[in-house]
Amino acid sequence: NERTLAIVKPDGVSGMYTSSVKKIILESGFAIQRELTVHLDEDSVRRFYAEHSTKSFFPSLVKYMTSGPVLIMVLEKTNAIADWRALIGPTDASKAKVTHPDSIRAMCGQDLERNCVHGSDSLDSAAREISFFFY
Ligand code: ATP
């Protein structure tokens, strides 16, 4: 079995989407192995998204991700990483609403930044991201 890191971002939590997201997760055959609700500080977000630190949207991303609590989960199932990425849909939630209307980002996201959920994109990043939040 494979593990991936899922995050319901501040817009998802404040928009009351955590229970519908969890319902989709469980109905899709994932086990929720760990979960944690936290309000991330700027330093944590900068370290978590370090690969984006030179991008123009980085300051805005840090502001967004620190704007309220997030729900962080470790999901487990066969092919968890790719299957969770498929469920959440494309990064740009405004496009997801058109091209992937059944995706989670279409359901609760707004645009390229405020896309309501996160999913690890590879085995390496899943391992790094899980150990970032859980021992
Ligand atoms: P995530 O890593 O959160 O699952 P992703 O892999 O689809 O999303 P990345 O390219 O890793 O997207 O970007 C990380 C996050 O930064 C995005 O989820 C989004 O919130 C924000 N982001 C990405 N690109 C942009 C952009 N061009 N403008 C504003 N925000 C962006």
Side-chain angles (χ1 to χ4, degrees):
N1 262 8
E2 196 172 85
R3 301 199 304 161
T4 192
L5 189 86
I7 303 179
V8 181
K9 297 182 179 185
D11 53 332
V13 173
S14 67
M16 304 292 191
Y17 285 105
T18 54
S19 59
S20 33
V21 171
K22 276 186 173 178
K23 188 164 180 268
I24 294 168
I25 287 169
L26 296 173
E27 285 173 356
S28 305
F30 294 88
I32 301 175
Q33 210 190 42
R34 306 287 301 271
E35 62 176 282
L36 172 70
T37 299
V38 278
H39 193 144
L40 298 172
D41 62 17
E42 289 190 7
D43 182 61
S44 302
V45 174
R46 286 198 187 96
R47 285 185 291 112
F48 183 76
Y49 279 124
E51 62 174 309
H52 295 308
S53 60
T54 60
K55 310 262 174 75
S56 59
F57 62 79
F58 191 67
S60 180
L61 175 61
V62 173
K63 212 172 188 183
Y64 162 47
M65 290 298 295
T66 57
S67 65
V70 297
L71 171 65
I72 303 169
M73 292 171 283
V74 176
L75 308 184
E76 181 172 357
K77 88 188 246 317
T78 305
N79 208 36
I81 296 169
D83 286 359
W84 175 242
R85 296 279 293 184
L87 265 186
I88 67 181
T91 305
D92 188 339
S94 64
K95 288 185 180 157
K97 288 176 197 291
V98 179
T99 62
H100 297 71
D102 297 331
S103 68
I104 293 175
R105 282 169 166 164
M107 171 181 77
C108 59
Q110 302 299 319
D111 52 36
L112 184 51
E113 175 176 82
R114 302 197 327 137
N115 57 8
C116 111
V117 284
H118 166 81
S120 309
D121 64 4
S122 67
L123 270 176
D124 281 355
S125 61
R128 180 188 79 84
E129 292 175 1
I130 290 168
S131 59
F132 189 93
F133 292 111
F134 302 98
Y135 58 85

